Amino acid sequence: MDQQANPNYALAELDKQTMLHPVTSIAALEADGPQMFGKASGVRIAGPLGHDVIDFGAGLWCVNVGYGRQELADAAASAMRDLSYYHLFGGASNEPAVRLADEILTLFHEQAGAGHLSKVFFGTSGSDANDTAYKLVRYYNNLRGKPEKKKFLARAGAYHGLTYAAGGLTGIPAYHKAFDLPQEGVHHLTCPHHFRFADAGETEDNFCDRLIAELERTIEHEGAETIAAMIAEPIMGTGGVLIPPRRYLERVQALLRKNDILFIADEVITGFGRLGSWFGTGHYGLRPDIVTLAKGVTSAYFPLSATVISEDIFETLRDASAEHGPVMHGFTYSGHPVGCSVALENLALMKRENIVANAAEMGDHLLRRLREKAGDHPFVGDIRGEGLMAAVEFVADKAERRFFRLPQGAHRVVARHCLQQGVAMRPLPFIEVVSFSPPLSINPAEIDEGVDAFVRGLEAATPELV
Ligand code: PLP
């Protein structure tokens, strides 16, 4: 079609003239223009090539109940009429915020065995939830008379967001470049991904032993009295859907506890059903001191995040309160009544429709189908997943476990072809992986249709990869 006759042409031009896009190459945008997405319903979205596509990303791992749910639109509209906005500063409160805090804690207590989690702080994004955790940990250590305990441990390949503190905890170098990150005091440990980072012949258990020994050495070298916390996603998402080695998280937690180092579980992706359980905390039997949440809490219909802290941390804050004064941290939109109302309806809908159980079942179906249809492809090195968080990792040579070194990335080539074939895939920025994280409401026929489109995309991409 003549470029200028395309109805989106003017909009695309206006986009280039007016926006600085997140995580986008300016040069590529100027050359190729933006990809305009349109209306969406269920698992389908109007794609940039003029046809609908199945969204195998659920946006950015977040549209858990699928697109276009009337119930959430109604909840937002009615909340906007009731109390369009009020804040939580200086002890102000509102009913939807209180009810949502209670609902989140109840879910943790009843569905994740995490009865020690005790208070919820609201924000608006996964990044600010992690910045809040970063600040509260420092605050807590200052209040309990340990001002030297400030360093943070994270992992290579981790993604914790892109505000300044969270951006430094993120362990993917592409996000640090020219931003003077990571900041001082952040230490990244080896990425716990056996398939790619194990030495030749190293078993998963031996790899895990090596990671634990590294953590032990790091604590000893830096001094436990200087390390405040370690942050970890139960399954690393943006890093490549990296499922930790057996017993890794359990052993990490034990070491941290022994050394009085807090454990922060970043559940921005894994929270609210993605793994086929309500939380990664329950899925892996974790006992985090802080959990951060965003995305699925509102299925991304409204920007809302939560930083949930343990009773132990809260007690320190409370005991120091009379003398120390208010906790001087918060945001205009903390506890936004519209966002909290949308979240409450989203969680109610997830329960009514058994969406978490569906995620477990559909996750099994997705993995089975991927293995059947793509397992034998010469460039498919690994297919893995937990619930509806799955990935295909590409290799140039399976037998030698040799990875691609293409400047554009094999996974990006595949994703481009997949879009033409009718499925939106996310090529991830750390290693050559495409992720599969569809809405948790997806059904078997939609999975089959999406996997078939993925396989067609993979076949179409293959000649460009050899
Ligand atoms: N933490 C994890 C695990 C994430 O995947 C993300 C976003 O993808 C974030 C934090 C940051 O969330 P946001 O983009 O809402 O700031």
Side-chain angles (χ1 to χ4, degrees):
M1 179 174 23
D2 169 19
Q3 266 276 39
Q4 306 205 9
N6 181 338
N8 280 332
Y9 178 78
L11 209 50
E13 284 304 299
L14 193 58
D15 176 307
K16 288 200 273 182
Q17 286 163 24
T18 55
M19 273 204 278
L20 180 63
H21 281 250
V23 186
T24 297
S25 155
I26 296 173
L29 188 77
E30 283 187 348
D32 306 333
Q35 298 193 315
M36 305 296 293
F37 285 83
K39 284 195 178 172
S41 173
V43 301
R44 286 171 213 277
I45 184 161
L49 304 174
H51 53 77
D52 281 3
V53 296
I54 290 193
D55 181 8
F56 257 179
L60 293 172
W61 329 78
C62 51
V63 188
N64 285 9
V65 298
Y67 293 96
R69 296 296 306 241
Q70 186 63 42
E71 301 90 327
L72 298 194
D74 291 346
S78 130
M80 282 186 185
R81 281 191 292 268
D82 287 350
L83 174 63
S84 344
Y85 167 75
Y86 207 69
H87 61 84
L88 299 185
F89 279 42
S93 196
N94 67 73
E95 181 170 350
V98 177
R99 297 218 177 279
L100 180 59
D102 181 53
E103 175 66 5
I104 289 174
L105 291 172
T106 303
L107 283 172
F108 268 109
H109 297 178
E110 292 179 358
Q111 304 291 335
H116 65 292
L117 295 176
S118 137
K119 298 291 175 286
V120 179
F121 178 93
F122 287 118
T124 53
S125 74
S127 300
D128 74 44
N130 285 328
D131 267 52
T132 291
Y134 185 87
K135 283 182 73 181
L136 285 181
V137 163
R138 300 171 86 90
Y139 191 75
Y140 162 77
N141 278 334
N142 286 334
L143 294 190
R144 70 183 182 128
K146 301 200 174 202
E148 72 291 354
K149 211 166 163 59
K150 293 285 162 60
K151 292 178 192 161
F152 267 73
L153 304 178
R155 285 99 47 88
Y159 189 82
H160 300 298
L162 296 179
T163 46
Y164 206 78
L169 299 173
T170 288
I172 300 176
Y175 294 109
H176 295 155
K177 205 168 149 191
F179 281 114
D180 300 330
L181 286 171
Q183 68 274 39
E184 212 187 309
V186 176
H187 188 99
H188 288 106
L189 300 159
T190 298
C191 179
H193 180 36
H194 177 258
F195 179 74
R196 175 114 191 192
F197 299 113
D199 292 335
E202 193 175 33
T203 65
E204 184 175 318
D205 288 342
N206 291 343
F207 178 59
C208 185
D209 290 344
R210 173 152 69 86
L211 299 180
I212 298 300
E214 178 196 31
L215 174 58
E216 237 167 351
R217 248 191 346 267
T218 305
I219 295 173
E220 204 170 299
H221 180 259
E222 301 290 325
E225 70 288 355
T226 72
I227 305 175
M230 175 161 169
I231 185 163
E233 304 152 79
I235 290 182
M236 293 161 84
T238 306
V241 185
L242 312 180
I243 300 171
R246 273 182 303 274
R247 297 201 55 236
Y248 166 82
L249 290 168
E250 179 191 331
R251 293 173 71 187
V252 164
Q253 278 200 124
L255 256 181
L256 298 179
R257 200 167 310 125
K258 189 172 127 199
N259 288 284
D260 184 30
I261 297 170
L262 296 176
F263 177 55
I264 304 168
D266 179 341
E267 292 229 45
V268 167
I269 291 178
T270 55
F272 304 105
R274 176 75 35 213
L275 303 184
S277 310
W278 274 95
F279 300 104
T281 292
H283 198 82
Y284 286 115
L286 307 179
R287 202 177 188 286
D289 301 285
I290 300 180
V291 180
T292 54
L293 302 162
K295 298 192 190 277
V297 65
T298 59
S299 286
Y301 281 55
F302 198 95
L304 191 143
S305 68
T307 305
V308 187
I309 62 171
S310 70
E311 178 64 14
D312 282 355
I313 294 179
F314 177 69
E315 277 174 9
T316 298
L317 271 49
R318 185 189 53 206
D319 293 350
S321 178
E323 194 187 326
H324 189 78
V327 178
M328 297 299 278
H329 176 73
F331 309 115
T332 299
Y333 302 128
S334 291
H336 197 300
V338 176
C340 293
S341 300
V342 170
L344 283 165
E345 180 53 29
N346 175 60
L347 299 177
L349 191 156
M350 286 182 68
K351 286 183 190 167
R352 277 197 309 275
E353 298 186 358
N354 285 322
I355 292 226
V356 180
N358 189 63
E361 227 177 285
M362 290 306 102
D364 289 346
H365 182 76
L366 172 64
L367 265 192
R368 213 176 313 119
R369 269 288 187 279
L370 280 174
R371 289 190 173 129
E372 265 167 37
K373 302 250 169 157
D376 291 337
H377 190 282
F379 295 149
V380 169
D382 192 35
I383 298 174
R384 54 180 174 268
E386 195 73 31
L388 279 174
M389 194 173 177
V392 168
E393 182 162 351
F394 298 106
V395 288
D397 188 312
K398 257 191 204 184
E400 292 181 22
R401 228 166 44 110
R402 189 165 50 78
F403 296 95
F404 281 104
R405 297 261 181 271
L406 298 178
Q408 75 275 33
H411 57 320
R412 291 197 182 88
V413 177
V414 173
R416 179 162 47 77
H417 282 281
C418 286
L419 195 64
Q420 284 166 3
Q421 297 298 330
V423 64
M425 307 286 320
R426 276 203 74 214
L428 298 175
F430 184 56
I431 51 178
E432 284 176 311
V433 164
V434 288
S435 57
F436 298 73
S437 61
L440 309 184
S441 52
I442 198 164
N443 66 37
E446 291 163 338
I447 287 185
D448 295 351
E449 188 185 330
V451 169
D452 287 348
F454 164 71
V455 171
R456 288 196 304 274
L458 178 59
E459 293 302 338
T462 302
E464 288 178 49
L465 305 179
V466 286

